[in-house]
């Protein structure tokens, strides 16, 4: 009886060892597959990197230099110009929407004593801006459902050009209106140029350069950052000296330039 127990225990130990050995082999095979996949990816990325260095798109350290900007494809530079003008228009006014609603439209004062009529008017304006911004977000959701059809029907050029022609008109109206209803509508309808800016230029680059998509989209992002930095250098002085209405007037000019550039430089592609 003791012998049978010993044999049984030995068999159990052998089975357990086999399971552990099998699990170890599986882990090793999985690790080898991961290393192989990483090597393939490294080789592919290395080939793309060597191609980029040899063509002058990036230097040997991997940095994109300013001198290489003019060696980018002409199509990319045209789209990037439109993208930059669009961001000049968007960010020019972006920091001033709530202030404009509270102080210019509602005639409130952000510096007034808490509880005073001027302070309450300003807070009401900020609340109206928040509600209008929520309506803007809802309109973005609606546009996301119909935007693909609109792009196929009208093409990228007309979509972006018309969106910023509309934005130019909206900002021009914002620079003059005193109506609360009109001001709220302007904020909500600004969803249209916002959606256009965040979709059309990026889609044009991603579709045109599939093998270099990540590189070119990264470079395109520079054309959205620089306008935001430049806008902050002058809009504050304009708002301080001439009020928010003047800032919106400048934004209207930027939007008109973005619309014109879209019509002139973007390809007309309809599907």
């Amino acid at each position: 009886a003791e012998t049978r127990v010993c044999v049984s225990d030995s068999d159990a130990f052998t089975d357990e060892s086999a399971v552990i050995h099998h699990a170890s082999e599986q882990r090793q095979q999985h690790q080898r597959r991961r290393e192989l996949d990483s090597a393939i990816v490294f080789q592919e990325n290395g080939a793309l990197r060597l191609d980029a260095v040899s063509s002058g798109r990036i230097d040997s350290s991997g940095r994109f230099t300013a001198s290489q900007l003019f060696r980018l494809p002409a199509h990319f530079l045209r789209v990037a110009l439109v993208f930059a003008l669009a961001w000049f228009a968007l960010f020019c006014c972006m920091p001033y929407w709530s202030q404009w609603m509270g102080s210019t439209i509602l005639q409130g004062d952000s510096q007034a004593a808490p509880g005073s009529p001027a302070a309450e008017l300003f807070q009401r304006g900020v609340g109206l801006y928040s509600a209008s911004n929520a309506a803007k977000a809802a309109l973005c959701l609606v546009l996301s459902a119909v935007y693909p059809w609109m792009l196929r029907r009208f093409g990228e050029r007309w979509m972006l050009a018309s969106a910023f022609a509309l934005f130019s008109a909206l900002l021009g109206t914002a620079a003059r209106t005193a109506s609360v209803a009109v001001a709220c509508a302007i904020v909500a309808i600004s969803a249209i140029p916002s959606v256009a800016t965040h979709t059309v230029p990026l889609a044009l680059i991603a579709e045109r350069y599939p093998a270099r998509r990540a590189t070119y989209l990264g470079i395109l992002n520079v054309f959205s950052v620089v306008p935001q930095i430049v806008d902050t250098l002058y809009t504050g002085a304009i708002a301080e000296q001439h009020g928010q209405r003047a800032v919106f007037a400048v934004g209207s000019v930027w939007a008109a330039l973005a619309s014109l550039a879209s019509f002139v430089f973007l390809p007309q592609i309809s599907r």
Side-chain angles (χ1 to χ4, degrees):
E2 290 180 358
T3 302
R4 285 197 297 272
V5 170
C6 292
V7 170
S8 178
D9 290 343
S10 175
D11 291 343
F13 178 77
T14 302
D15 292 342
E16 183 178 356
S17 300
V19 169
I20 294 174
H21 179 69
H22 179 68
S24 177
E25 285 186 342
Q26 284 187 326
R27 284 195 298 270
Q28 291 176 1
Q29 291 176 1
H30 180 66
Q31 181 64 26
R32 284 195 294 270
R33 283 196 298 268
R34 289 183 60 184
E35 290 174 354
L36 180 60
D37 292 342
S38 298
I40 293 173
V41 170
F42 178 79
Q43 291 174 1
E44 291 177 348
N45 289 341
L48 291 174
R49 177 185 172 80
L50 289 174
D51 176 61
V53 171
S54 63
S55 63
R57 292 192 303 276
I58 60 174
D59 65 14
S60 58
S61 66
R63 296 187 301 268
F64 179 80
T65 61
S67 63
Q68 292 161 336
L69 173 65
F70 299 101
R71 283 185 258 177
L72 289 167
H75 171 269
F76 176 90
L77 292 176
R78 290 194 296 269
V79 175
L81 173 62
V82 173
F83 193 55
L85 290 172
W87 272 103
F88 271 117
L90 287 174
F91 199 78
C92 176
C93 307
M94 194 178 292
Y96 300 99
W97 283 110
S98 59
Q99 180 81 10
W100 164 77
M101 187 74 81
S103 61
T104 303
I105 302 301
L106 271 294
Q107 297 296 305
D109 186 357
S110 61
Q111 303 299 321
S116 64
E120 291 180 357
L121 283 172
F122 183 83
Q123 289 300 321
R124 183 185 170 215
V126 173
L128 286 172
Y129 168 72
S130 298
S132 303
N133 216 29
K136 174 183 175 180
L139 181 56
C140 286
L141 289 175
V142 174
L143 287 172
S144 68
V146 299
Y147 210 68
W149 174 85
M150 295 173 69
L151 282 172
R152 289 192 298 269
R153 178 66 178 83
F154 302 106
E156 285 84 350
R157 177 199 294 174
W158 283 105
M159 286 296 299
L160 204 56
S162 59
F164 275 91
L166 172 64
F167 196 40
S168 180
L170 291 174
L171 294 179
T173 304
R176 298 187 303 272
T177 188
S179 168
V180 174
V182 171
C184 291
I186 289 172
V187 174
I189 299 173
S190 66
I192 296 174
S194 180
V195 168
T197 303
H198 287 88
T199 55
V200 175
L202 283 74
L204 287 172
I205 296 301
E207 184 178 41
R208 182 68 175 265
Y209 309 102
R212 304 166 189 169
R213 183 176 300 157
T215 299
Y216 279 3
L217 287 176
I219 298 171
L220 185 66
N221 190 54
V222 175
F223 290 85
S224 69
V225 174
V226 171
Q228 296 177 51
I229 296 173
V230 173
D231 276 340
T232 60
L233 298 178
Y234 70 90
T235 53
I238 294 176
E240 184 177 353
Q241 296 177 17
H242 305 286
Q244 287 90 21
R245 292 187 186 275
V247 176
F248 283 89
V250 173
S252 179
V253 174
W254 282 122
L257 291 174
S259 176
L260 179 63
S262 300
F263 182 76
V264 173
F265 294 116
L266 291 187
Q268 176 59 19
I269 304 174
S270 58
R271 300 174 181 82

